[in-house]
Amino acid sequence: MERSSPANHVAKRNCAVIMGDRRRASQPHRSIKEIDEPAKFKSLTVRSASSPGSNREHSRLRTTLGPPSALPGYLGSTSYSAVLAEHRSDIPFEVDNSSAAAVSTRSVDSDRLQMGSEVLKLLYDLPVCDIMIRKYHAQTVITIVPKIVIYSILESIRRVFDSLDANDFESQFQDLVNQIFQNTSRPLTVHGSMTVEQYLSSFTGRNSRWEALGNIFAITGIALMSMPDSDPDFTQAAPDSEAKDRLRAQIVEASGICLGFCDQASSVNELLGFYQYNDVMLTTQQYGDSSYQAWRRLGDLSATIYAAGLHQESTQTDDCPWFLRQWRRVCFASAFYADKSLATFVGRPPLINYRYCTLTPPMDISHEILLAGGSTMTQAISDLDKAGWHVYGTAHPVTLIRLRFLLSIFREEALEMALGTGDQDDLVEKSNRLVEKARNTWDTAPVYLRYDIRADVEENDTYCSSFALLHTYLDYLYTVFLVQRTLVKRTNTGQAALFETSRQVLSYIIRINAERDSLMDMTRHYSWIILYYGLPSASVLTLELLRQSREVGPHAIVLPRAELIRNLSVFLSCLSWVARPGHGNYQTCKEVEKKLSHILDQILDPQPVQAEVFNDATSGLYNVLDWYNPDTWDFNFEYLPSRDGFPV
């Protein structure tokens, strides 16, 4: 990868569009090389990267002052308005909320209009976005935004593009951009009797908003990250690997710009929540799960969840149609899951605290049944079992979102134990209770969701379905692992249970060595799973094998030595191919492979080792590996684990 100054690096990641092109979206799209010059996004990124005070007349740092948002969003029981709101029925007159509800039309800054025009023309010039999103929905089991929502956004904006008069294109296009800004500045209004069609029309077509269009960029980016380079549609849009990387970077940048527009509008809703969730997923894959960019975007998503009132179901949020209430639960559950996953990865406190949330999962009803309504939906609800699961025997997106959310509640409790500084009394009892709750939830989940059962009996699962179930199962096991590891570190008890969980995780991790998908490039996800779930478990087991090879038996805990050495060897094999050159985790995987291979050699051919290496079952290996010594790792800053994103 070419090295250059930050400003030049940013400039080369321009989002290029042809300003004078009058094609209709129905015509064949051109490749990314064809639309690379003149580079309209280059001007934005170069100016933002220039030194303070330079080119002040055209600086993108200029701020247009406008009136603050009149809509503060969700206000809880300690807010300034809580007392009057809670006693509204006691007030003898109706409070006039018209001034609060009214949002004045603001003139849009010319710089933002120009930037918005460039972003929208990127979408105009890239109908490959539509293709990638449809492929992504066809190949992915878990999708957060309901298909009818994202397809309505796509189809409506293409119809608007097609309606523009070629003889007055520029003027009409600018009017459209200005209208999108105005739409975004107004709140989305809903009511209990609203139909699906009315809801969709409130942010599509001429009512398009930046949070709606931003979802197109974010989901397209996610799709491109897992699309193999050999895909014909991807190749038509970006013929070579350099063009493909540039297209991915352009989509990521466009998504970030749309987020900036939404931030300036200060209007929060579930559509923005969906968008920010997808952008977080995209950011982790572009910059890394440990990147500050991803953590900051997660903070923005958490703020939206709270400000939109999605964390609690109350009278402030109940006046909405039933289908929207379920979609808002999906949005909250997805954000809650992402929060716990990233918090675990970087070892920081979660941003969405479960103690302040209504932990009601979305109902296990597909979007199709939800939209059908009437007797179809009534029957589906009556068919749910006592635990709330449907009985049809197949997993749809909401089913897995629901299960991930339930498991995430236990993950937050595990993080409280591992990261918290509060009272740690009765840690053994708390740990056992938490593991038991998680295990009961998993055991009562339907058979069609349980990879530990299906993996041995199902022959006809699609790969994507199998991978999604494997990832969910690993999430459950890793919560148990975290609890047991905390117990070992704090009390020096429970080693046997930790070793058994580590064995399970390792045995399931290495299955990806034999299971690969030709339709999707999952290597970014594989390397993340290998390092996130597999490496801690492999480390615990390797350490114990090394300790037992140095000490005279009998040992209190007898491990199946042959099985573990065989599985650890396969794990090392996974590290050899799971990340490709140029991927963020490539160098990390190579260094881990080299270090663990050396330790495995010591296990097979024991050499004298200092006794103080073995502090406990979870930390000693790090001394052997010299884990945090940059001199022994010998890789650049950009390769710090991990740079690739966890699966959506």
Side-chain angles (χ1 to χ4, degrees), residues 133-283:
I133 288 177
R134 293 183 186 278
K135 283 191 173 185
Y136 178 72
H137 275 267
Q139 298 169 357
T140 306
V141 176
I142 302 179
T143 54
I144 306 305
V145 182
K147 187 183 298 184
I148 190 175
V149 173
I150 191 62
Y151 284 8
S152 295
I153 296 170
L154 277 170
E155 294 164 3
S156 68
I157 195 61
R158 292 300 176 195
R159 286 195 299 268
V160 172
F161 287 157
D162 288 341
S163 70
L164 299 179
D165 186 353
N167 296 322
D168 191 27
F169 181 85
E170 284 298 330
S171 175
Q172 293 186 20
F173 201 89
Q174 290 299 315
D175 289 343
L176 174 61
V177 172
N178 184 66
Q179 186 61 54
I180 293 173
F181 274 109
Q182 299 301 335
N183 295 339
T184 307
S185 68
R186 292 189 287 267
L188 275 180
T189 57
V190 299
H191 53 82
S193 59
M194 175 178 273
T195 65
V196 175
E197 291 75 17
Q198 290 172 329
Y199 175 70
L200 296 176
S201 67
S202 67
F203 53 80
T204 58
R206 291 290 176 175
N207 292 321
S208 291
R209 307 166 63 94
W210 286 120
E211 61 262 43
L213 301 179
N215 267 296
I216 297 178
F217 288 117
I219 299 174
T220 298
I222 293 171
L224 291 175
M225 294 294 179
S226 58
M227 196 62 60
D229 286 353
S230 60
D231 179 83
D233 294 302
F234 195 7
T235 300
Q236 184 179 358
D240 53 51
S241 59
E242 182 181 351
K244 288 179 171 64
D245 289 340
R246 187 163 62 250
L247 177 57
R248 291 187 179 106
Q250 290 172 354
I251 296 298
V252 170
E253 186 163 357
S255 179
I257 291 173
C258 288
L259 272 181
F261 295 156
C262 296
D263 183 58
Q264 290 168 324
S266 302
S267 177
V268 294
N269 50 64
E270 66 284 342
L271 193 62
L272 178 60
F274 281 130
Y275 173 25
Q276 289 175 314
Y277 171 89
N278 285 316
D279 185 78
V280 169
M281 300 299 102
L282 178 59
T283 303

Side-chain angles (χ1 to χ4, degrees), residues 316-373:
Q316 290 193 37
T317 58
D318 279 348
D319 187 24
C320 68
W322 198 78
F323 72 86
L324 184 54
R325 185 176 305 172
Q326 295 304 310
W327 286 351
R328 287 177 172 176
R329 288 181 181 176
V330 168
C331 182
F332 170 73
S334 302
F336 192 86
Y337 161 77
D339 177 53
K340 306 305 167 283
S341 295
L342 280 183
T344 302
F345 191 84
V346 298
R348 298 169 190 160
L351 301 175
I352 302 177
N353 192 317
Y354 76 110
R355 297 184 183 277
Y356 299 97
C357 301
T358 302
L359 300 176
T360 305
M363 296 189 73
D364 187 16
I365 298 176
S366 69
H367 294 309
E368 291 76 15
I369 293 177
L370 188 65
L371 296 176

Side-chain angles (χ1 to χ4, degrees), residues 33 64 239 254 598:
K33 279 187 174 180
T64 300
H598 177 67

Side-chain angles (χ1 to χ4, degrees), residues 511-564:
R511 295 192 180 199
I512 69 172
N513 195 54
E515 300 178 0
R516 309 189 196 179
D517 185 21
S518 60
L519 296 178
M520 298 185 72
D521 180 5
M522 303 294 288
T523 51
R524 295 176 188 268
H525 300 323
Y526 288 156
S527 61
W528 184 83
I529 283 179
I530 285 286
L531 294 176
Y532 184 35
Y533 299 119
L535 183 56
S537 301
S539 299
V540 166
L541 295 171
T542 303
L543 171 64
E544 182 61 16
L545 285 176
L546 184 60
R547 186 188 68 81
Q548 292 188 10
S549 71
R550 302 304 187 200
E551 296 181 359
V552 178
H555 302 290
I557 302 173
V558 179
L559 297 178
R561 178 182 172 88
E563 172 202 315
L564 292 182

Side-chain angles (χ1 to χ4, degrees), residues 615-629:
N615 296 328
D616 59 59
T618 66
S619 63
L621 183 63
Y622 295 98
N623 296 329
V624 179
L625 294 178
D626 204 5
W627 207 250
Y628 296 112
N629 187 339

Side-chain angles (χ1 to χ4, degrees), residues 308-533:
L310 301 182
H311 64 300
Q312 290 190 1
E313 295 187 359
S314 65
T315 56
Q316 290 193 37
T317 58
D318 279 348
D319 187 24
C320 68
W322 198 78
F323 72 86
L324 184 54
R325 185 176 305 172
Q326 295 304 310
W327 286 351
R328 287 177 172 176
R329 288 181 181 176
V330 168
C331 182
F332 170 73
S334 302
F336 192 86
Y337 161 77
D339 177 53
K340 306 305 167 283
S341 295
L342 280 183
T344 302
F345 191 84
V346 298
R348 298 169 190 160
L351 301 175
I352 302 177
N353 192 317
Y354 76 110
R355 297 184 183 277
Y356 299 97
C357 301
T358 302
L359 300 176
T360 305
M363 296 189 73
D364 187 16
I365 298 176
S366 69
H367 294 309
E368 291 76 15
I369 293 177
L370 188 65
L371 296 176
S375 59
T376 302
M377 187 174 65
T378 302
Q379 183 62 46
I381 294 175
S382 65
D383 287 342
L384 298 177
D385 65 21
K386 62 180 181 180
W389 300 106
H390 73 70
V391 295
Y392 308 124
T394 56
H396 55 76
V398 179
T399 306
L400 285 166
I401 291 170
R402 174 186 170 89
L403 180 57
R404 294 197 314 187
F405 171 68
L406 294 174
L407 295 174
S408 294
I409 299 172
F410 304 125
R411 173 64 64 83
E412 181 161 357
E413 293 187 56
L415 290 174
E416 271 191 332
M417 294 176 55
L419 304 177
T421 59
D423 184 14
Q424 296 292 337
D425 292 341
D426 302 323
L427 189 59
V428 174
E429 180 182 347
K430 291 178 181 177
S431 300
N432 292 337
R433 190 163 55 244
L434 178 53
V435 169
E436 186 65 23
K437 288 193 299 181
R439 184 167 292 138
N440 287 340
T441 297
W442 182 257
D443 289 342
T444 56
V447 172
Y448 56 81
L449 294 179
R450 293 187 55 184
Y451 184 87
D452 54 330
I453 296 177
R454 287 170 62 96
D456 297 325
V457 300
E458 296 290 341
E459 299 290 337
N460 299 320
D461 282 349
T462 64
Y463 179 78
C464 289
S465 173
S466 176
F467 181 78
L469 296 180
L470 169 61
H471 182 243
T472 304
Y473 182 49
L474 288 173
D475 229 32
Y476 155 68
L477 287 179
Y478 198 60
T479 294
V480 176
F481 174 89
L482 290 175
V483 175
Q484 293 170 340
R485 181 173 181 265
T486 300
L487 187 63
V488 170
K489 290 178 66 176
R490 301 281 175 81
T491 68
N492 198 29
T493 62
Q495 287 87 345
L498 177 63
F499 295 149
E500 179 59 29
T501 302
S502 299
R503 280 182 59 201
Q504 286 183 278
V505 172
L506 182 62
S507 67
Y508 283 107
I509 284 285
I510 62 177
R511 295 192 180 199
I512 69 172
N513 195 54
E515 300 178 0
R516 309 189 196 179
D517 185 21
S518 60
L519 296 178
M520 298 185 72
D521 180 5
M522 303 294 288
T523 51
R524 295 176 188 268
H525 300 323
Y526 288 156
S527 61
W528 184 83
I529 283 179
I530 285 286
L531 294 176
Y532 184 35
Y533 299 119

